[in-house]
């Protein structure tokens, strides 16, 4: 139990990050070893600006203010993302990828708006009930 000093909250810069430990420069200029303690998996990069808390020589990153690292959400089995009364928006400035042996999309309506569309298919099958117009 950490009881010998009060906990200190600080803005810090990641100096370097290994698999299990990181080096931080606190706003006081002090360089310390630390560990990630976020509620999600974040792999920090040098230069990231974080919130760290420390007590008795132990420091933990509890927030990311400006990050360039990778955030990974991983589930050991099925994963459901639901918004039963709303929308789900996926937004990226670069790219969104879906990779799987099989992808199924079920909807009453699918709308694709694109400047360019490229399709590469081994075989293509299309069943249309009603109007098909090109």
């Amino acid at each position: 139990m950490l009881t010998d000093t009060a906990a200190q909250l600080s803005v810090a810069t990641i100096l370097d990050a290994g698999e299990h430990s990181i080096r931080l420069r606190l706003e006081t200029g002090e360089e310390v070893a630390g560990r990630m303690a976020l509620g999600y998996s974040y792999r920090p990069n040098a230069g990231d600006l974080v919130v760290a808390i420390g007590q008795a020589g132990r420091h933990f990153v509890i927030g990311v203010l400006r990050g360039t690292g990778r955030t990974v959400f991983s589930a050991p089995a099925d994963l459901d993302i639901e918004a039963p009364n709303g929308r789900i928006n996926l937004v990226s400035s670069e790219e969104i990828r879906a990779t799987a042996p099989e992808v199924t999309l079920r909807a009453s309506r699918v709308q694709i708006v694109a400047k360019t569309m490229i399709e590469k298919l081994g075989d293509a099958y299309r069943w249309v009930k009603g109007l098909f117009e090109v």
Side-chain angles (χ1 to χ4, degrees):
M1 180 158 38
L2 304 174
T3 58
D4 57 342
T5 61
Q8 298 293 314
L9 196 61
S10 177
V11 173
T13 302
I14 302 284
L15 297 175
D16 62 86
E19 189 172 335
H20 299 290
S21 66
I22 54 175
R23 296 277 315 150
L24 301 165
R25 180 180 298 119
L26 305 177
E27 57 193 343
T28 62
E30 180 184 7
E31 294 184 12
V32 297
R35 295 190 62 143
M36 299 301 290
L38 299 171
Y40 56 92
S41 175
Y42 179 72
R43 298 173 187 159
N45 284 331
D48 286 358
L49 194 62
V50 298
V51 177
I53 191 164
Q55 184 180 29
R58 297 176 66 189
H59 292 82
F60 300 92
V61 172
I62 59 171
V64 178
L65 300 174
R66 186 183 68 236
T68 59
R70 185 174 181 89
T71 301
V72 177
F73 293 99
S74 180
D78 292 349
L79 173 66
D80 295 332
I81 299 173
E82 297 182 8
N85 298 309
R87 297 181 176 151
I88 296 174
N89 295 304
L90 302 176
V91 178
S92 173
S93 65
E94 293 184 24
E95 181 177 14
I96 296 175
R97 291 183 184 192
T99 304
E102 183 175 325
V103 176
T104 302
L105 175 64
R106 289 187 173 88
S108 298
R109 175 187 166 137
V110 176
Q111 180 176 332
I112 299 172
V113 179
K115 184 176 178 182
T116 303
M117 184 165 164
I118 300 168
E119 293 180 304
K120 296 179 183 179
L121 308 165
D123 296 306
Y125 304 92
R126 182 169 283 160
W127 289 265
V128 177
K129 180 181 178 183
L131 177 66
F132 178 78
E133 186 176 313
V134 178

